[in-house]
Amino acid sequence: MNTIIIDGLSFALPLLIIAIGGIYSERSGITNLALEGLLGFGAFSGGLFVAATAGVFAPTSQVPLYLSFLVAAGGGALFSILHAVLCIKFRADQVISGVVVNIVSIALTGFFTSTINAAVFGQASNKFMLSTSPRLTIPLISKIPLLGAVFTNFYPFEVIILVLVALCWYLLYRTRYGLHLRAAGDNPQALDAAGIDVARVRFKAVLMSGALSGVGGMCFAYSISTNFSPAIYFGSGYLAIAALIFGNWKIMPTFAACLIFGFARSAAYQLVLALNADASVADLAMITPYVITLLLLAFFAKTNRSPRALGELYDKSKR
Amino acid sequence: MSEVIGVIGAGGKARPDSAAESDVILELRHVTKRFPGVVANDDVSLSVRRGEIFALLGENGAGKSTLASMVFGMYEPDEGQLFVRGTETRITSPAEAVALNIGMVHQHFKLVSNYTVAENIVLGDEPLRRVAGVLPWLDMRGAEQRIADLSARYGLEVDPCAVIENLGVSAQQRVEILKMLYRDSEILIFDEPTAMLTPQEIEHLLNIMRNLRREGKTVILITHKLDEIKQVATRCAVLARGKLVDVLEVADTTTAKLAAKMVGYDLALTIEKKSAALDNAPTVLQVDHLTVEDDNKFPVVNDVSFRVRAGEIFAVAGVAGNGQTQLADAIAGLAAVKSGAISLDGVDLTQMTVRQRARAGIAYIPEDRHGMGLILDLPLLQNLGLKSYFHHPFSQRGILQTEAFEHHARRLIDDYDIRAGQGPRTLTRQMSGGNQQKAIVAREVELDSRLLIFVQPTRGLDIGATMAIRRRILDQRDSGKAILLISLELDEVLALADTIGVMYGGRMQKIAPAATMDRYQVGEYMMGARASTSASASTSTNASISPNTPATSAAPATSAAPEASAAPAEVQAGTGTQQG
């Protein structure tokens, strides 16, 4: 049971920060199917940073680990400029742009990883090795039955994410920028009439989604494989989109959705272990979060309301 | 070029001597604005004085909205100058206009639907407080207090904490007014503010404008409703085809004179209407306990019953969104019926498809002429054949007969005075709104159906086209057709109806002969102010849901508006005909 909670959280929280990235973009009115590509590019950036600085820091230093999250955020934000420029400047179809970003991300990171490995590090590999992330346990509290599992064996990034979530909530709901962002997704004309530059607000929102996705991608790189490889593209970006839709484009309900997905996944995994089933059955069991996604969306999609101007091109002259 | 002062006096009157009155706050000199293919404003010069209510009157496309949009910085003039408080100014964006204390209430409100009133008002100018001395935090409570104060001072009656999507049109409009007041606007521009309001709401709005004036604000009112100008405006500029026709002192003029200036010739604003002899007329359309639900299982049409007889215009009045559209769709077969029955000449239609109903005798002129009435990218001749293309002579052995379409189109173009640049081959999109609507009416009338359903038939049309369509509706009635007219324009309902039904919240609140109801009574039912059972003035006809209580007919609650009757009665038919 403890394992389910521990693994569930370590999956749910990165998923949440990616989903919040999606919320930022979509609440501002830009459909963002590019989360998958953004998180991959962010993880690639972080991985490259760790590989490139391997000799700079002491082997036991934790500094590159923390810095890699910053670099991943930067990389994700940088790559999201592609989506922002396509959607806002060139007024491309936002769905198509998102898909393009995903495809480009997979191709680019795969190419660069292999090339850089061959040219700089002199080895044929499509991976950047990362150091193993430490795991923390809080004494005493972790001894509480069941609830203690939350404080047991967690990754440092889980704490970072929780702090980020609080900041994101504050920014979205309690600041001027947040008010502008949410208005841009409901009625951009109203925002424009209030003298605010809609394109600018949206551009920042997409950058924000890139940065948050990058952090989430880096977390997965540490927790799932301890390296950066194309395996980072396992669909978590799409799952994050499902979570934010299920969460009605709001941060707290999306948190709940991510927890459900995380626990469903870890529970399925434990079930497979307990049954000692073979690999093909295990693969089948691992689709549980996605099956749950389908079922939940089927039931809740009707009551949920997407941002009114989501996916709409904003045309100043349209009145 | 004459001096500006000369233009101000173009009405033939000397300028008032009082210095306070001639304190000019806004002045346009020789302003011209061109759009591809049109000159929206052609050498317009006028000035607005501080503290007056200045009306801009004109038909659709006369250029009044463009003129106001330039003052609000949405467009820049191609030629000419703009003076604000005596200083020449270039206003290149709405934000700059706001900085100059100019505000505008647009026809389509610019409100964020899931925000509160206060959030909408502060948007772009948000008050902040610091949490723990550093963290910026939106200070909504302070804003709400200030908004509540402003609301009370100007009689706006708006709750700052209400969420926009729960408010009606009138309340949303008052939020827009508060937005301007919150930014200390001194010049307030209203673009067609009464198009969507009930008579009572219009009264309220006009009172607010008087309050604004009393508090020293300057109001620019864009409208084509003459009686509103007569009620509140001090001066009125009349525009026609982009040119300034005249600036008149409202107190010295009549609505008839204003109307003549507006259209350029004396216009008969009344329509001759013979009273219908309905006592023995057979029932054509019978609707019994009809209920229609929307996607959320909400009964948008709720237990509605009425009948329309041959030679009768049954007009449904109501504020937008009270189930009128769904009622028309259900009768035409476009919306699923939850319960109840619809019959035509005694034949039950409830289970029939749209085409079966059309062939049984229903013609439908829908509200959304671009979305449902026409296929804009097809030539006119095909649009005119949309309801008949599948049978002889338009189709023979499954092959469309172009000749027949062409012949049919030529005849309709002549008979119905449809103006199309390239005749039957004109692309429908290139035609004007009035001619598009005439085309739809022509197509549907030609079906020679027993029942014609008109939904908002004159929306957005100018007076000429409006009159043509209304005459056509009356002709059809006089030839014994049953007419179901659904209109948001109360003037239209009052001008045409033999029987009025008022819908509110999906229910038919009231059914009564048109002669027994005045506009204020209808207005009260439109707002749901009266229960369907009280004060029924009808004793005989059509009252299948209201019991026949004797005519008590209490004095209208809003008769505290004496100016309303100041407008000559003959103008009523034509003054409220257009929405932009």
Side-chain angles (χ1 to χ4, degrees):
Chain A
M1 191 62 208
N2 280 4
T3 325
I4 293 179
I5 292 174
I6 293 166
D7 289 352
L9 278 175
S10 73
F11 184 79
L13 287 168
L15 190 67
L16 172 63
I17 204 68
I18 296 164
I20 289 176
I23 289 176
Y24 265 74
S25 175
E26 303 221 329
R27 285 300 289 265
S28 83
I30 303 287
T31 307
N32 198 339
L33 296 184
L35 295 178
E36 180 84 353
L38 296 176
L39 75 88
F41 201 86
F44 162 78
S45 312
L48 178 61
F49 170 80
V50 171
T53 58
V56 180
F57 298 99
T60 52
S61 169
Q62 295 300 315
V63 176
L65 181 123
Y66 292 106
L67 281 181
S68 69
F69 287 110
L70 258 181
V71 175
L78 192 72
F79 201 61
S80 69
I81 292 175
L82 180 60
H83 188 55
V85 168
L86 281 174
C87 294
I88 299 166
K89 179 94 173 55
F90 295 108
R91 312 162 63 75
D93 183 287
Q94 297 171 7
V95 170
I96 294 174
S97 167
V99 172
V100 165
V101 168
N102 287 339
I103 294 169
V104 170
S105 173
I106 294 171
L108 269 189
T109 57
F111 170 75
F112 279 125
T113 311
S114 302
T115 318
I116 292 171
N117 270 325
V120 182
F121 308 116
Q123 56 198 157
S125 162
N126 65 347
K127 292 176 181 157
F128 291 131
M129 293 308 294
L130 303 171
S131 60
T132 314
S133 173
R135 305 187 76 151
L136 313 174
T137 299
I138 298 178
L140 295 176
I141 310 180
S142 56
K143 298 285 181 278
I144 303 169
L146 208 60
L147 194 67
V150 175
F151 303 96
T152 309
N153 238 352
F154 58 87
Y155 290 96
F157 68 65
E158 295 180 38
V159 182
I160 297 175
I161 286 173
L162 287 175
V163 172
L164 280 178
V165 169
L167 280 176
C168 287
W169 182 89
Y170 156 76
L171 185 62
L172 192 60
Y173 292 110
R174 286 293 177 269
T175 63
R176 281 183 178 170
Y177 177 68
L179 195 72
H180 297 168
L181 189 152
R182 289 178 288 130
D186 186 88
N187 189 344
Q189 280 81 12
L191 189 64
D192 193 26
I196 310 292
D197 186 341
V198 175
R200 214 184 159 93
V201 169
R202 289 184 165 179
F203 206 96
K204 287 184 192 164
V206 175
L207 289 195
M208 196 65 192
S209 79
L212 295 174
S213 302
V215 172
M218 199 66 218
C219 297
F220 280 135
Y222 278 111
S223 68
I224 286 174
S225 51
T226 340
N227 62 35
F228 169 80
S229 75
I232 197 78
Y233 301 102
F234 64 96
S236 57
Y238 301 109
L239 197 58
I241 292 169
L244 75 92
I245 293 173
F246 177 41
N248 211 358
W249 288 267
K250 292 183 181 131
I251 289 181
M252 283 331 206
T254 303
F255 199 161
C258 289
L259 287 178
I260 292 173
F261 291 155
F263 291 141
R265 187 185 146 98
S266 56
Y269 192 67
Q270 290 306 315
L271 189 69
V272 171
L273 284 184
L275 296 177
N276 208 5
D278 65 46
S280 56
V281 179
D283 284 345
L284 193 64
M286 293 314 287
I287 68 167
T288 315
Y290 308 99
V291 174
I292 290 177
T293 307
L294 278 179
L295 290 176
L296 289 179
L297 285 181
F299 285 110
F300 285 89
K302 264 188 241 163
T303 55
N304 282 5
R305 210 188 86 181
S306 60
R308 191 168 297 216
L310 181 59
E312 247 178 48
L313 289 174
Y314 176 57
D315 186 351
K316 243 181 185 313
S317 62
K318 190 179 120 190
R319 286 193 287 158
Chain B
M1 280 289 122
S2 63
E3 278 293 331
V4 172
I5 290 163
V7 179
I8 297 166
K13 291 182 189 63
R15 288 201 301 156
D17 299 323
S18 151
E21 259 195 309
S22 58
D23 178 8
V24 171
I25 192 165
L26 177 75
E27 185 176 348
L28 303 170
R29 286 191 196 164
H30 308 300
V31 167
T32 297
K33 177 71 191 172
R34 296 182 196 88
F35 291 112
V38 248
V39 182
N41 291 129
D42 188 358
D43 193 26
V44 174
S45 296
L46 50 83
S47 61
V48 179
R49 297 175 200 140
R50 187 182 300 276
E52 74 172 337
I53 298 181
F54 187 88
L56 284 175
L57 174 70
E59 293 211 82
N60 289 337
K64 45 194 197 307
S65 286
T66 309
L67 201 61
S69 297
M70 283 192 284
V71 175
F72 192 58
M74 293 162 71
Y75 306 122
E76 277 192 80
D78 295 327
E79 289 163 29
Q81 299 151 296
L82 196 65
F83 292 80
V84 179
R85 297 181 194 87
T87 320
E88 181 172 2
T89 316
R90 281 185 68 222
I91 307 177
T92 57
S93 73
E96 286 180 35
V98 171
L100 288 164
N101 300 87
I102 301 172
M104 182 160 177
V105 176
H106 301 272
Q107 232 169 331
H108 303 286
F109 304 145
K110 306 206 174 217
L111 296 171
V112 180
S113 59
N114 56 356
Y115 278 17
T116 67
V117 168
E119 283 173 327
N120 267 287
I121 290 171
V122 302
L123 192 65
D125 186 19
E126 301 85 355
L128 291 182
R129 62 191 166 91
R130 302 269 162 184
V131 171
V134 281
L135 212 53
W137 202 274
L138 289 177
D139 179 21
M140 291 314 298
R141 207 157 299 156
E144 282 158 12
Q145 186 53 50
R146 204 183 141 205
I147 290 160
D149 291 346
L150 280 173
S151 170
R153 183 164 150 209
Y154 291 93
L156 290 166
E157 297 167 29
V158 172
D159 170 13
C161 301
V163 176
I164 294 297
E165 57 198 352
N166 300 331
L167 296 178
V169 177
S170 166
Q172 292 191 10
Q173 185 177 57
R174 282 176 271 135
V175 175
E176 289 281 8
I177 297 172
L178 272 173
K179 238 195 216 176
M180 299 192 291
L181 295 174
Y182 185 83
R183 285 163 178 74
D184 298 318
S185 295
E186 287 182 350
I187 303 173
L188 293 87
I189 306 169
F190 289 82
D191 188 3
E192 306 269 358
T194 58
M196 304 283 281
L197 305 182
T198 64
Q200 284 81 353
E201 289 166 345
I202 291 174
E203 271 317 307
H204 187 187
L205 178 67
L206 296 183
N207 275 326
I208 291 168
M209 286 187 191
R210 291 186 190 104
N211 292 345
L212 291 167
R213 191 183 173 207
R214 199 189 57 222
E215 299 276 336
K217 307 283 187 190
T218 307
V219 175
I220 298 176
L221 170 64
I222 302 171
T223 188
H224 54 244
K225 295 191 181 173
L226 303 166
D227 47 340
E228 286 162 14
I229 293 178
K230 193 67 192 156
Q231 279 189 63
V232 295
T234 44
R235 292 192 304 151
C236 173
V238 184
L239 291 167
R241 289 169 300 282
K243 290 202 167 80
L244 181 69
V245 178
D246 208 344
V247 181
L248 301 163
E249 294 285 337
V250 172
D252 302 345
T253 190
T254 62
T255 46
K257 205 167 147 194
L258 286 172
K261 292 263 185 202
M262 176 164 78
V263 296
Y265 51 91
D266 287 316
L267 187 78
L269 291 167
T270 42
I271 304 182
E272 285 297 318
K273 186 179 147 202
K274 284 174 274 179
S275 60
L278 293 169
D279 289 342
N280 297 316
T283 296
V284 175
L285 176 71
Q286 177 83 47
V287 174
D288 281 317
H289 302 289
L290 180 72
T291 297
V292 178
E293 290 183 343
D294 67 7
D295 294 341
N296 301 320
K297 304 274 174 216
F298 180 81
V300 280
V301 175
N302 196 349
D303 194 25
V304 165
S305 302
F306 63 96
R307 65 176 163 140
V308 187
R309 288 160 292 182
E312 177 183 27
I313 297 179
F314 184 95
V316 178
V319 180
N322 278 288
Q324 305 98 309
T325 314
Q326 290 86 349
L327 174 66
D329 282 350
I331 294 168
L334 296 163
V337 171
K338 169 76 179 167
S339 61
I342 301 161
S343 61
L344 192 74
D345 288 330
V347 181
D348 184 24
L349 299 177
T350 318
Q351 301 304 323
M352 286 189 185
T353 64
V354 178
R355 183 177 286 182
Q356 285 168 337
R357 292 183 205 214
R359 303 202 86 168
I362 294 180
Y364 186 33
I365 291 90
E367 176 176 23
D368 180 2
R369 88 176 59 111
H370 291 167
M372 278 170 71
L374 295 167
I375 302 172
L376 291 175
D377 290 320
L378 290 185
L380 177 61
L381 80 169
Q382 294 188 6
N383 270 300
L384 288 173
L386 278 184
K387 285 275 176 82
S388 40
Y389 69 89
F390 48 86
H391 58 66
H392 187 82
F394 300 98
S395 171
Q396 283 174 17
R397 288 180 289 281
I399 294 172
L400 294 180
Q401 305 298 309
T402 318
E403 293 262 302
F405 277 96
E406 185 119 17
H407 179 75
H408 173 73
R410 283 194 192 288
R411 190 168 58 76
L412 265 53
I413 287 171
D414 287 346
D415 290 358
Y416 292 83
D417 188 28
I418 304 167
R419 311 222 174 115
Q422 294 133 48
R425 300 266 165 200
T426 310
L427 208 56
T428 315
R429 189 181 290 285
Q430 290 164 354
M431 295 165 52
S432 74
N435 285 303
Q436 289 175 349
Q437 185 72 350
K438 280 187 197 167
I440 299 175
V441 170
R443 179 182 75 209
E444 299 297 324
V445 167
E446 279 298 302
L447 296 174
D448 199 21
S449 302
R450 292 280 290 149
L451 171 72
L452 290 101
I453 305 174
F454 289 88
V455 186
Q456 289 276 77
T458 60
R459 189 177 63 155
L461 306 187
D462 62 26
I463 288 191
T466 297
M467 289 298 158
I469 302 251
R470 289 186 182 169
R471 284 200 192 91
R472 186 69 66 181
I473 295 173
L474 282 172
D475 286 350
Q476 287 297 303
R477 179 198 76 158
D478 292 343
S479 68
K481 300 290 167 55
I483 312 272
L484 175 62
L485 168 69
I486 294 177
S487 181
L488 303 178
E489 291 283 352
L490 193 45
D491 290 310
E492 181 158 273
V493 169
L494 294 170
L496 296 178
D498 297 308
T499 307
I500 296 176
V502 188
M503 281 191 85
Y504 175 77
R507 289 182 180 275
M508 197 64 90
Q509 287 283 332
K510 173 73 179 174
I511 295 172
T516 63
M517 300 239 273
D518 68 24
R519 65 171 43 233
Y520 285 94
Q521 285 170 308
V522 176
E524 281 175 42
Y525 287 111
M526 281 165 72
M527 289 189 297
R530 292 191 186 196
S532 59
T533 49
S534 70
S536 164
S538 96
T539 48
S540 58
T541 59
N542 240 325
S544 46
I545 60 165
S546 58
N548 296 334
T549 45
T552 49
S553 194
T558 45
S559 58
E563 299 98 320
S565 51
E570 85 269 12
V571 185
Q572 305 249 326
T575 51
T577 51
Q578 311 141 306
Q579 296 177 12

